[in-house]
Amino acid sequence: LIEEDKRLGKDEALEATLPYSKEKFGVPSNLYIIGTMNTADRSVEALDTALRRRFSFEEMIPRPELIATAGNLKDQSGILDYINLPELLFTINRRIEKLIDKDHQIGHSYLMCVSNIADLKLIFQNNIIPLLQEYFFGDFGKIGLVLGSGFFYTTEAVKENLFAEFNDYDASEFAERPVYKLKDVLKLTDEEFHEAINLLLKR
């Protein structure tokens, strides 16, 4: 019923009978249906195909420059304590695009509401890092390629071999391999957080 040529007043207009009132129902030609969907969230292929046949799609890519012109830090051109937020988002998204694809880039809306360092820490801890963990299925190597080493710490190397014996496999190299863990960003001092951001931006 929402297709352009099936609307009321069109040559191929269709109507449906409503189940309770039994009245006829059609969609008027002056009704506009506008919706948004994150490209990374497309999971029902058949539904997506059906939508694409009936709607025109306009891609809305992340626009880091809006952080500097319309965000909470517009008076500072998007710069917070020497951290250039548009550059920060642009850098993260370039790496995500290389490692996955452009549809998984992070939107600028996350950083539009940032007013201080505490806000930025919260966004990293509760939004950006969990999103990267979801994207990369907990692969800290790839997450590290996006965020840099400042957001990680390593557990102390264990000298003894923790692994069981299995045929002719040698597990000694795995036993000495460091285990990486993500830092709790909210517990970082402002100086530590700045250092982590500088490492992310390769400064």
Side-chain angles (χ1 to χ4, degrees):
L1 296 180
I2 65 174
E3 292 178 10
E4 188 173 350
D5 59 341
K6 303 298 191 297
R7 296 187 174 214
L8 296 176
K10 301 293 183 178
D11 293 338
E12 298 181 28
L14 293 176
E15 290 181 312
T17 302
L18 298 176
Y20 294 110
S21 66
K22 307 303 180 185
E23 294 179 359
K24 293 290 187 179
F25 173 79
V27 177
S29 60
N30 64 347
L31 175 67
Y32 292 88
I33 302 174
I34 300 173
T36 63
M37 178 174 65
N38 290 328
T39 50
D41 293 340
R42 291 179 302 180
S43 58
V44 186
E45 184 179 353
L47 175 61
D48 184 51
T49 303
L51 286 171
R52 286 190 177 278
R53 290 202 309 269
R54 291 167 173 84
F55 288 89
S56 60
F57 278 69
E58 180 178 351
E59 184 180 33
M60 305 292 287
I61 62 173
R63 296 176 58 191
E65 70 276 6
L66 289 181
I67 301 168
T69 59
N72 283 358
L73 293 173
K74 61 185 177 183
D75 292 339
Q76 292 81 37
S77 300
I79 296 175
L80 172 66
D81 291 350
Y82 305 103
I83 300 173
N84 187 318
L85 296 186
E87 179 190 2
L88 178 64
L89 182 62
F90 178 75
T91 300
I92 289 173
N93 279 339
R94 280 189 64 197
R95 294 170 182 170
I96 291 174
E97 184 176 5
K98 282 282 189 180
L99 292 170
I100 314 177
D101 56 46
K102 69 180 181 65
D103 288 341
H104 285 75
Q105 294 180 90
I106 295 173
H108 54 270
S109 62
Y110 282 128
L111 301 180
M112 295 287 285
C113 60
V114 171
S115 299
N116 50 55
I117 287 294
D119 290 344
L120 187 57
K121 285 182 182 180
L122 199 62
I123 293 297
F124 264 85
Q125 181 70 18
N126 293 343
N127 299 104
I128 294 177
I129 290 176
L131 197 58
L132 293 176
Q133 288 179 292
E134 182 72 21
Y135 284 173
F136 297 113
F137 303 99
D139 184 341
F140 282 0
K142 288 182 178 176
I143 297 172
L145 291 175
V146 175
L147 295 180
S149 60
F151 288 92
F152 291 85
Y153 69 94
T154 57
T155 58
E156 187 176 350
V158 178
K159 299 301 182 183
E160 73 271 13
N161 189 345
L162 299 174
F163 298 98
E165 297 295 329
F166 182 72
N167 296 337
D168 55 352
Y169 280 85
D170 179 14
S172 58
E173 61 177 294
F174 300 109
E176 298 178 4
R177 179 180 293 177
V179 175
Y180 294 95
K181 293 184 180 292
L182 280 161
K183 294 178 180 177
D184 185 337
V185 178
L186 299 181
K187 293 182 179 178
L188 297 178
T189 66
D190 289 354
E191 184 178 347
E192 290 170 336
F193 183 68
H194 272 91
E195 178 60 27
I197 295 295
N198 286 336
L199 289 169
L200 188 159
L201 295 172
K202 299 174 69 172
R203 289 177 178 166

